Amino acid sequence: MSEVGQAPALAPEEAAAAAVIPDALNATDALNATAKFVATPEGTALAYGSLVLMALVPIFFGALRSVACSKSKELGDQGYDSGYRNASDMPETITSRDAARFPIIASCTLFGLYLFFKVFSQEYINLLLSVYFFALGVLALSHTMSPLLARVLPASLPIKQYQLLFTQGTGEAKEEIINYEFDTNNLVCLVASGVVGVWYVLKKHWIANNLFGLAFALNGVELLHLNNVSTGCILLGGLFVYDVFWVFGTNVMVTVARSFEAPIKLVFPQDLLEKGLSANNFAMLGLGDIVIPGIFIALLLRFDVSLKKNSRTYFYSSFLAYIFGLGLTIFVMHTFKHAQPALLYLVPACVGFPVVVALFKGEVTEMFRYEEASPEEALAKDDSSESEKKDQ
């Protein structure tokens, strides 16, 4: 998953590639039960219902947090004082050029991994990936937990501030390499996340996997921002074609999904009722099926906020569309007993429903004219305002 949260910020192109990796790796196709296992109707319903619920949680809360993140971006440097103190906490803006590159980057990543698994030992590759995603998962989960812990801790508890500063050069030529601010709350979250990380590395338990997966998805929805609706349509349209091709046209995606061991999918056992927490016959949903539609839904929530009508019409319509599309994916997969590219159903639903609502409300023009500034533009605007104040 993307290096978000408290990890170093990515360039838009890198963020775009990272956001698609979960989709490429585990199959937007992969709502799929373990072979040779016949699940009971109750177990199937519980597994799929849980997957749908787990998919909705990061989209809903990630979208809400993206609004606060966007406001911090608009405030420039002042935004860091309200919970976004570090550059790594600020969103990455996906432009139309980034969106057009998404399917190409994702396809290259997917096919490259396919070749890696064909040439090299699967065991060693997954060992390296476990270490990599351990570090990312700890940071993502820590970033997710931090606001929750801040609300739970008593106000009387002293919170100490820390700063990690690493510079290069001296005098006027001094350049900041790392300038990271954190507090006691962040340290507690980091330790708790580290415990979950060790649990995942040692046991590969499905609950630990899901904790990391949910953190990745929520951070992705929060911190990956589309700059306008047109960019969102380009992104989702390109990945619609990408998903259908790699699932129905080749066996590459399914092969990589089955070989790749990393917390980039949500899983839930279909034999939980029979085996309890030691169950091991899973249905799964790739994080790409959550993050990609989720960042579009989050954009529509920010568009709702920009209208200043105290209404969340477009957010709720796209959110309900996502539920419909994911439910349709599960129904078709279950009916035809074949892995499905979820974006085949999610993209038309998540784009079509809000556009139809906009047509009825006569706000199509406003929807497609809505534009978000990049962090660089927001900071430049803030610097310009400061200069004007000094001149006055």
Side-chain angles (χ1 to χ4, degrees):
M1 182 54 187
S2 55
E3 297 183 13
V4 293
Q6 298 174 343
L10 297 176
E13 292 83 358
E14 294 170 321
V20 172
I21 287 176
D23 184 62
L25 298 186
N26 37 160
T28 43
D29 69 325
L31 280 167
N32 190 22
T34 302
K36 300 181 181 179
F37 171 75
V38 179
T40 63
E42 295 82 3
T44 300
L46 178 62
Y48 290 148
S50 299
L51 285 177
V52 171
L53 180 61
M54 286 191 291
L56 296 178
V57 168
I59 290 178
F60 186 84
F61 290 102
L64 293 178
R65 288 175 61 158
S66 79
V67 174
C69 190
S70 182
K71 290 179 179 178
S72 295
K73 176 177 68 175
E74 292 171 1
L75 289 172
D77 292 328
Q78 297 173 3
Y80 300 134
D81 296 331
S82 58
Y84 295 92
R85 295 169 298 183
N86 301 293
S88 60
D89 295 330
M90 299 300 284
E92 291 291 340
T93 301
I94 301 174
T95 65
S96 58
R97 178 180 294 182
D98 300 325
R101 293 173 179 172
F102 248 93
I104 299 173
I105 295 172
S107 296
C108 293
T109 302
L110 178 65
F111 192 65
L113 285 166
Y114 175 78
L115 294 178
F116 260 89
F117 280 114
K118 288 293 184 181
V119 174
F120 299 103
S121 171
Q122 179 178 326
E123 178 183 355
Y124 294 116
I125 295 174
N126 282 320
L127 178 62
L128 292 174
L129 292 172
S130 294
V131 175
Y132 178 69
F133 281 98
F134 165 80
L136 290 185
V138 169
L139 292 172
L141 187 58
S142 177
H143 178 76
T144 302
M145 293 170 53
S146 185
L148 300 176
L149 187 62
R151 295 183 179 182
V152 172
L153 292 176
S156 58
L157 187 67
I159 302 296
K160 295 183 179 180
Q161 302 293 328
Y162 304 93
Q163 183 179 25
L164 181 62
L165 181 61
F166 182 70
T167 62
Q168 179 181 357
T170 58
E172 296 181 357
K174 183 182 293 186
E175 180 183 357
E176 289 185 358
I177 305 300
I178 298 175
N179 187 359
Y180 187 74
E181 298 179 19
F182 57 99
D183 55 29
T184 308
N185 177 33
N186 299 132
L187 288 176
V188 173
C189 291
L190 197 62
V191 171
S193 301
V195 172
V196 175
V198 172
W199 181 26
Y200 172 76
V201 170
L202 295 179
K203 299 296 184 180
K204 292 293 193 296
H205 197 276
W206 60 274
I207 294 180
N209 173 92
N210 287 347
L211 288 174
F212 275 168
L214 288 170
F216 284 142
L218 193 149
N219 278 271
V221 175
E222 176 188 359
L223 295 172
L224 286 172
H225 287 197
L226 296 163
N227 64 348
N228 55 49
V229 174
S230 297
T231 299
C233 292
I234 294 172
L235 174 66
L236 269 66
L239 289 177
F240 174 90
V241 176
Y242 150 86
D243 210 17
V244 172
F245 172 77
W246 287 109
V247 174
F248 288 149
T250 72
N251 69 336
V252 171
M253 185 177 285
V254 175
T255 301
V256 172
R258 291 173 177 171
S259 305
F260 198 87
E261 293 181 8
I264 49 170
K265 56 180 174 266
L266 299 180
V267 299
F268 200 90
Q270 299 188 79
D271 54 346
L272 180 68
L273 299 177
E274 293 85 1
K275 298 182 180 179
L277 296 180
S278 61
N280 58 4
N281 291 283
F282 299 104
M284 66 182 77
L285 177 65
L287 293 190
D289 297 332
I290 302 172
V291 175
I292 300 304
I295 60 178
F296 185 75
I297 295 171
L299 171 67
L300 293 178
L301 176 59
R302 297 193 297 275
F303 171 63
D304 278 324
V305 172
S306 73
L307 294 175
K308 299 179 180 179
K309 294 183 178 180
N310 198 27
S311 171
R312 301 294 181 264
T313 305
Y314 296 104
F315 170 67
Y316 289 127
S317 64
S318 59
F319 194 74
L320 291 174
Y322 180 84
I323 297 174
F324 171 79
L326 191 56
L328 183 60
T329 305
I330 294 172
F331 173 77
V332 174
M333 187 279 302
H334 190 69
T335 300
F336 293 98
K337 309 298 181 183
H338 188 279
Q340 296 295 312
L343 293 183
L344 174 64
Y345 309 96
L346 291 172
V347 169
C350 291
V351 174
F353 279 40
V355 170
V356 170
V357 171
L359 285 171
F360 275 107
K361 298 185 69 175
E363 295 177 341
V364 175
T365 303
E366 289 86 343
M367 174 186 284
F368 282 89
R369 281 182 178 175
Y370 174 68
E371 185 88 20
E372 286 192 356
S374 67
E376 293 79 10
E377 292 170 339
L379 288 171
K381 182 180 179 181
D382 184 67
D383 292 340
S384 177
S385 299
E386 290 295 327
S387 298
E388 289 177 3
K389 289 180 181 179
K390 289 180 180 179
D391 293 339
Q392 291 176 356

